[in-house]
Amino acid sequence: MKTLTVPLLETLDACHLSAAADILKHHARHETIDALNWPATFPGKPLAAFDIARGAAELYLRYSLHGPSLRALSAHDGEHVHTDSCVEFFMRRNGEMNYLNFEFNCIGTCYAERHRTRTDSTPLTPGEYRRIRRHTSLPPTPFAEKKGIHAWQLTLAIPFDLMNLDPDALPEKIFGNFCICADETQHPHYLTWNPVDLPRPDYHCPEFFGEIHFQPA
């Protein structure tokens, strides 16, 4: 099981998310998303990484990807985005199997749910979606698949209370995974931060989440 520690970067809370992206690039915890769990059927392996840190009330993530094909057809929060060029964050609290998934396509459209089981879930409300701050290196308008090699970044600030965490009393650790996919592109791929030992691609598997520790204030 992989582990990481989320550093506290107080300067993140005082700047625009576009400036936060630069802070994350140089000062956050850097991790790669490179577990190729299904090489026989999905051998594609674009370069993928994320930078992670926290402020007082939000978890900050900066994803960076470089690889073939780029697609963003989903334009509205609540629409499925895994068919586009997509990054994902899954998390659960220690001692629980309930979990949340936050999925974003490359232009920042979000699909997120609170799960009791794989099929029993509740989506975020429109107001909750609006609280997730996003900054993308791409124009925020939908587009059909573009061939060739592309590089892009997506920076996120997710309020802790949307993850059912008290920002004033964060736990020592939670469990989670960081993933990428692009189901309906010419080059579908499925990579994770923490390996997933299942016969086919499935990210909704809390038993394969890694450990995420929080640096205390």
Side-chain angles (χ1 to χ4, degrees), residues 107-198:
I107 61 171
T109 305
C110 181
Y111 177 81
E113 292 184 302
R114 296 182 175 92
H115 284 263
R116 290 163 290 279
T117 67
R118 179 70 167 82
T119 57
D120 181 10
S121 61
T122 302
L124 266 59
T125 66
E128 289 175 322
Y129 276 121
R130 287 192 293 270
R131 295 183 58 210
I132 302 174
R133 298 191 290 139
R134 305 154 227 185
H135 174 74
T136 174
S137 63
L138 301 173
T141 52
F143 55 86
E145 183 172 357
K146 300 177 181 180
K147 305 302 191 296
I149 302 299
H150 300 269
W152 56 278
Q153 297 81 42
L154 178 66
T155 303
L156 310 166
I158 305 174
F160 283 119
D161 61 3
L162 289 188
M163 295 181 274
N164 303 324
L165 299 175
D166 181 353
D168 295 321
L170 289 175
E172 175 189 352
K173 67 179 178 180
I174 60 174
F175 292 83
N177 212 349
F178 306 85
C179 319
I180 67 168
C181 62
D183 287 23
E184 294 185 4
T185 66
Q186 187 179 23
H187 301 278
H189 51 260
Y190 299 92
L191 301 178
T192 61
W193 168 67
N194 198 66
V196 174
D197 185 16
L198 293 173

Side-chain angles (χ1 to χ4, degrees), residues 16-37:
H16 187 272
L17 202 55
S18 59
D22 191 61
I23 295 172
L24 292 166
K25 180 179 179 180
H26 293 97
H27 301 289
R29 173 70 177 256
H30 181 78
E31 295 281 333
T32 56
I33 303 173
D34 58 4
L36 188 62
N37 304 293

